[in-house]
Amino acid sequence: MDWALVRELQADARLSFSELSRRVHLSPPAVAERVRRLEEAGVITGYHAHVDLTRAGRTVVALIRMSCYGARCILHDPAVAGWPEILEIHRITGDACSMLKVAAGSIGEFEAVIDRLAPYGQPSSTMVLSSPLDWQPITPLPSAGTGSRRR
């Protein structure tokens, strides 16, 4: 039942408890209680609008691998997460420490982000040409005994 609620809220987080209850066949108070528990458990962490980056003026999207270690690493500077061009920061394995998703309004603005990142270490960028899958709702993973094995 929780997955049914999560599925519906991922599709449209603006649904009322009444509409949610109709869709998952529970009473509105039961839906409200389950959603509250999912929020308290940290399963639901917020409600967000999906924004088209291009229509919002962010026409240059790139992934930037950062090779930086030690005290000057961007992972140790919380201010970097506040830069408006940086959409995501991921700590990664391998020969780099992090991967950033950046969206800028122009190549010039993107270049300025690269310049701002340079003091932290070696940035290496890859431009995003298109995103055939830019978001997907979370669904339950297959059970271990259902015959499908994860590799």
Side-chain angles (χ1 to χ4, degrees):
M1 184 54 59
D2 287 346
W3 276 111
L5 287 168
V6 168
R7 181 183 62 246
E8 294 295 338
L9 287 170
Q10 286 181 106
D12 185 357
R14 296 174 62 178
L15 292 174
S16 67
F17 287 145
S18 296
E19 180 60 21
L20 269 173
S21 70
R22 188 185 68 70
R23 292 184 184 195
V24 300
H25 309 292
L26 283 178
S27 70
V31 165
E33 176 61 21
R34 281 182 175 264
V35 169
R36 183 188 62 74
R37 277 189 277 152
L38 288 166
E39 292 169 344
E40 287 177 354
V43 174
I44 296 175
T45 60
Y47 299 88
H48 313 278
H50 293 281
V51 176
D52 183 303
L53 290 173
T54 302
R55 291 179 188 228
R58 305 286 186 95
T59 58
V60 178
V61 179
L63 302 174
I64 302 174
R65 289 174 26 135
M66 287 297 297
S67 296
C68 54
Y69 300 95
R72 194 64 181 135
C73 179
I74 66 162
L75 296 173
H76 300 297
D77 187 349
V80 175
W83 297 3
E85 301 87 359
I86 296 181
L87 304 180
E88 299 172 13
I89 300 175
H90 303 276
R91 185 176 183 186
I92 62 173
T93 62
D95 60 351
C97 67
S98 57
M99 178 75 72
L100 289 65
K101 181 177 180 182
V102 174
S106 67
I107 291 294
E109 289 177 16
F110 175 72
E111 190 174 5
V113 172
I114 294 292
D115 291 344
R116 288 175 71 192
L117 288 170
Y120 293 93
Q122 180 67 42
S124 175
S125 63
T126 301
M127 303 304 288
V128 173
L129 300 177
S130 66
S131 298
L133 178 63
D134 68 344
W135 180 85
Q136 181 166 301
I138 302 299
T139 58
L141 294 172
S143 297
T146 61
S148 60
R149 299 191 72 156
R150 294 181 47 138
R151 295 174 195 220

